[in-house]
């Protein structure tokens, strides 16, 4: 059975990632990309679905787990009866073979250890063909293969199709185990990895990257860990950024709200880029902009809300019946059927990020994509009055006029107007000629939101036009520059959400019992929504409330400093896909905003800094 999510650490090479539990079991790994088939899938099942464990073969008296400071190198220190040992886990960035390296180090005395590798390709469904000799083995399944090297003799268990080793690590010894991916039709890698050199290189890589961080305040450890996690969720060869590295980790234990998040949502990636830019990481913004222009090339009517990490369009969703799911949460899904939904908000998300990148000077060296701005705003002009599935990807048959979707339609037009106004001399004449029309459209959308999105009886902006249901996404209204947080309508909206959309002080996305999403069951609190509440407190000067809620959210992180998508106050557990970019984005943005408010320094939230009209 998989461990609680809080017990997993993440390692990665900015192409793919692995999740390793505090007990030393690697339970999730997709190769060669983060959205490839998993060859270790115990996370969504049990031992039969693949794992790689290195652990003491004796009773453990104590465990200490951590990342090496400012790196993505995991350390697990184990105290046993006759000694202490440390396991160091990492993936060297830029390695062509996507090496996973696990060094077992003896610290005191001697510790008997057991290594157990049981790969199962195609998400735990295919048993590989194994060849083994002495301290080296290969595992082949169709087009994919792994090369395994051990510093101690390997004992194959042919019946169970797994590889085992028993050994003793003594004080001063460092024993490296390595696993490399290769295509089965190619020559297997015969060179031995220099684990110690790769460890030094990996640590240097991450510390050099962290050295560019612009933040050095009271929450540095939390911000840096979140930034590193976001970087790990980027696909460096293309610039794509995934929402999470996992699939089907449930929003409700035993429930059906299990989705594949290993794709690039325009919304999630846009918000992730905002956080990275605030942290001082502009190369990622340039790479994402290039990815974006490639991925969405074509007519805006055909633009998707998500793509594969290289810009793939087809993300067909299927279920994997052989996997029992994380803690019996079925179905396990790969792919995501929401890719062909109509979500009006993505156009605003995209233009807002492009606008902020330009305002920050991130892409001054490249031309403004006027053609894209034109076709997107023209598309919004023709389609903003349509119903859609909304930010939460509602899967019921009935589309709605979601307030957040209309807000982001307004953002798309507003940012188009700002692009022209701020770069008037360079703007093409056809766009200058649209300026009056777009300004009028912006005011038309604004007037409708204020009239139909705000429910006078509830005293709040609600989930959709004519609805009395609350929705946390309206907390973004001040972030987008639509209204200041001090506007009476926003103050009453926040009060309504505090009363009717919180659980133990944390914010839900919306009330699932309304049935609006067409799914059975209930979900836990959605972490980024609580960070949005922190921001609203900050913007109106409720600084004590903002700090108290921020501190509480940071305290919910795992020992490794990681956050899932949701938190269940009753079970006191993290739920949903893990780690979740959205949650770490919320942490970074809330810290920057709060500390800027306290210090009086301007934060990099251009939209909030200059609300167009009050």
């Amino acid at each position: 059975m998989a461990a609680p999510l809080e017990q997993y650490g993440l390692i990665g090479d900015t192409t793919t990632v692995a999740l390793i539990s505090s007990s030393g079991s690697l339970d999730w790994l997709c190769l060669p990309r983060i959205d490839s088939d998993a060859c270790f899938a115990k996370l969504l099942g049990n031992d039969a679905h693949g794992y790689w464990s290195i652990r003491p073969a004796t009773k453990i008296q104590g465990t200490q787990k951590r990342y090496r400071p400012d790196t993505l190198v995991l350390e697990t220190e184990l105290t046993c009866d006759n000694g202490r040992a440390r396991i160091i886990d990492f993936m060297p960035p830029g390695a062509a073979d996507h090496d996973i390296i696990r060094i077992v180090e003896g610290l005191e005395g001697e510790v008997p250890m057991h290594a157990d590798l049981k790969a199962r390709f195609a998400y735990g469904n295919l048993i590989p063909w194994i060849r083994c000799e002495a301290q080296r083995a290969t595992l082949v399944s169709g087009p994919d293969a792994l090369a395994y090297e051990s510093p101690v003799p390997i004992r194959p268990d042919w019946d169970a199709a797994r590889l085992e080793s028993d050994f003793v690590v003594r004080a001063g010894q460092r024993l490296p185990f390595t696993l490399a991916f290769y295509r089965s039709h190619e020559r297997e890698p015969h060179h031995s990895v220099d684990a110690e050199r790769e460890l030094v290189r990996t640590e240097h890589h991450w510390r050099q990257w962290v050295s560019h961080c612009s933040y050095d305040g009271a929450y540095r450890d939390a911000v840096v860990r979140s930034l590193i996690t976001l970087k790990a969720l980027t696909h460096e060869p293309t610039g794509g950024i995934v929402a999470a590295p996992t699939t089907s980790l449930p929003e409700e234990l035993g429930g059906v709200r299990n989705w594949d998040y290993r794709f690039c949502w325009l919304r999630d990636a846009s918000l992730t880029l905002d956080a990275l830019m605030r942290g001082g990481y502009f190369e990622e913004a340039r790479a994402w902009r290039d990815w974006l222009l490639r991925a969405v090339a074509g007519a805006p009517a055909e633009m998707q809300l998500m793509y594969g990490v290289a810009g793939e369009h087809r993300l067909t969703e299927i279920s994997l019946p052989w996997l029992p799911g994380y803690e019996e949460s079925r179905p396990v899904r790969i792919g995501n059927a929401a890719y062909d939904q109509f979500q009006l908000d993505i156009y605003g998300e995209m233009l807002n990020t492009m606008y902020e990148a330009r305002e920050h000077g991130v892409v001054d060296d490249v031309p403004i994509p006027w053609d894209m701005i034109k076709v997107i705003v023209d598309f919004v002009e023709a389609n903003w009055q349509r119903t859609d599935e909304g930010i939460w990807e509602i899967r019921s048959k009935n589309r709605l006029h979601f307030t957040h979707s209309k807000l982001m339609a307004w953002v798309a037009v507003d940012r188009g107007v700002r692009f022209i106004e701020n770069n008037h001399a360079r703007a093409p004449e056809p766009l200058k000629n649209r300026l009056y029309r777009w300004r009028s459209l912006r005011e038309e959308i604004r007037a409708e939101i204020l009239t139909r999105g705000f429910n006078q009886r509830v005293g709040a902006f609600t989930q959709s036009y004519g609805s009395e249901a609350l929705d946390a996404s309206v907390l973004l209204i001040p972030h987008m520059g639509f209204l200041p947080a001090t506007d009476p309508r926003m103050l009453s909206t926040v009060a309504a959400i505090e009363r009717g959309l919180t659980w133990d002080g944390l914010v839900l996305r919306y009330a699932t019992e309304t049935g609006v999403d067409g799914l059975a069951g209930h979900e836990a609190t959605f972490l980024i929504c609580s960070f949005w509440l922190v921001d609203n407190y900050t913007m109106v000067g409720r600084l004590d409330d903002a700090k108290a809620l921020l501190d509480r959210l940071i305290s919910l992180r795992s020992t490794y400093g990681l956050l899932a998508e949701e938190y269940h106050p009753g079970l006191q557990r993290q739920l949903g896909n893990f780690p979740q970019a959205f949650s770490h984005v919320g942490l970074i943005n809330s810290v920057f905003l709060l500390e800027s408010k306290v210090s009086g320094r301007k934060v990099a939230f251009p939209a909030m800094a200059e609300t167009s009209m009050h």
Side-chain angles (χ1 to χ4, degrees), residues 312-334:
E312 294 88 350
H313 286 235
R314 189 180 300 112
L315 309 175
T316 306
E317 181 179 303
I318 62 173
S319 297
L320 307 182
W322 62 86
L323 282 172
Y326 182 84
E327 297 196 20
E328 303 296 319
S329 302
R330 298 184 182 89
V332 170
R333 298 178 173 96
I334 59 170

Side-chain angles (χ1 to χ4, degrees), residues 352 355 407 409-419 421-422 435 438-447 450 476-485 487 489 605-614:
N352 183 57
Y355 174 79
L407 166 71
W410 177 90
V411 169
V413 180
D414 177 72
R415 301 315 185 257
V417 168
R418 292 193 195 193
F419 263 115
E421 291 175 341
N422 295 353
L435 189 55
W438 284 2
R439 285 172 177 158
S440 298
L441 174 62
R442 179 174 64 180
E443 292 315 302
E444 182 183 357
I445 300 173
R446 175 184 174 80
L450 294 176
L476 288 171
I477 287 173
H479 292 72
M480 293 297 119
F482 183 83
L483 284 177
D487 186 279
R489 290 160 291 194
F605 277 82
M608 289 193 302
E610 48 171 300
T611 302
S612 294
M613 297 181 189
H614 292 179

Side-chain angles (χ1 to χ4, degrees), residues 232-496:
L233 299 183
T234 64
H235 188 256
E236 191 157 340
T238 65
I241 303 174
V242 300
T246 55
T247 179
S248 299
L249 291 178
E251 297 167 7
E252 178 187 31
L253 292 178
V256 299
R257 299 169 184 270
N258 317 318
W259 316 110
D260 193 346
Y261 277 12
R262 298 170 299 154
F263 305 114
C264 303
W265 271 256
L266 296 187
R267 177 191 312 112
D268 296 46
S270 297
L271 295 173
T272 299
L273 256 296
D274 288 346
L276 285 168
M277 286 190 292
R278 288 186 184 97
Y281 294 98
F282 300 132
E283 287 302 319
E284 287 75 11
R286 294 187 183 96
W288 182 81
R289 177 191 180 278
D290 293 342
W291 173 89
L292 174 69
L293 294 176
R294 295 191 303 269
V296 306
E302 298 173 351
M303 189 183 300
Q304 296 179 186
L305 60 112
M306 71 177 89
Y307 298 87
V309 296
E312 294 88 350
H313 286 235
R314 189 180 300 112
L315 309 175
T316 306
E317 181 179 303
I318 62 173
S319 297
L320 307 182
W322 62 86
L323 282 172
Y326 182 84
E327 297 196 20
E328 303 296 319
S329 302
R330 298 184 182 89
V332 170
R333 298 178 173 96
I334 59 170
N336 199 307
Y339 79 91
D340 64 353
Q341 288 186 353
F342 174 59
Q343 293 183 15
L344 183 61
D345 70 293
I346 62 172
Y347 303 96
E349 301 285 4
M350 188 167 64
L351 287 189
N352 183 57
T353 297
M354 292 171 64
Y355 174 79
E356 290 202 12
R358 177 69 52 175
E359 289 297 294
H360 292 170
V362 173
V363 289
D364 278 347
D365 56 337
V366 295
I368 296 173
W370 293 113
D371 288 345
M372 176 177 284
I373 294 168
K374 172 185 172 296
V375 296
I376 287 176
V377 179
D378 282 351
F379 179 81
V380 170
E381 181 179 26
N383 291 274
W384 73 272
Q385 292 179 320
R386 289 172 57 187
T387 56
D388 75 331
E389 280 88 358
I391 183 175
W392 307 130
E393 298 173 3
I394 302 301
R395 292 201 176 197
S396 64
K397 294 181 180 179
N398 298 321
R399 290 177 170 179
L400 298 171
H401 290 286
F402 287 103
T403 303
H404 174 266
S405 297
K406 306 304 185 187
L407 166 71
M408 297 313 296
W410 177 90
V411 169
V413 180
D414 177 72
R415 301 315 185 257
V417 168
R418 292 193 195 193
F419 263 115
I420 299 171
E421 291 175 341
N422 295 353
N423 304 275
H424 197 268
R426 289 183 285 173
E429 285 301 319
L431 282 188
K432 292 179 183 178
N433 294 336
R434 277 175 164 77
L435 189 55
Y436 176 80
R437 195 175 88 205
W438 284 2
R439 285 172 177 158
S440 298
L441 174 62
R442 179 174 64 180
E443 292 315 302
E444 182 183 357
I445 300 173
R446 175 184 174 80
E448 181 178 285
I449 294 171
L450 294 176
T451 301
R452 302 182 64 189
F454 187 83
N455 187 301
Q456 295 288 348
R457 199 182 78 78
V458 178
F461 288 98
T462 52
Q463 184 175 69
S464 59
Y465 290 174
S467 169
E468 294 188 357
L470 297 171
D471 191 304
S473 63
V474 302
L475 291 171
L476 288 171
I477 287 173
H479 292 72
M480 293 297 119
F482 183 83
L483 284 177
T486 53
D487 186 279
R489 290 160 291 194
M490 275 310 303
L491 294 174
S492 62
T493 296
V494 168

Side-chain angles (χ1 to χ4, degrees), residues 1-6 43-44 248-258 324-331 503 520-524 566-568 570-577:
M1 181 177 175
L5 296 184
E6 294 86 351
L43 183 69
L44 298 177
S248 299
L249 291 178
E251 297 167 7
E252 178 187 31
L253 292 178
V256 299
R257 299 169 184 270
N258 317 318
Y326 182 84
E327 297 196 20
E328 303 296 319
S329 302
R330 298 184 182 89
W503 179 5
H522 305 281
E523 65 178 30
E566 301 188 356
Y567 180 78
H568 193 295
L571 299 175
Q572 296 186 342
R573 289 186 59 181
Q574 295 192 36
L575 295 177
N577 282 302

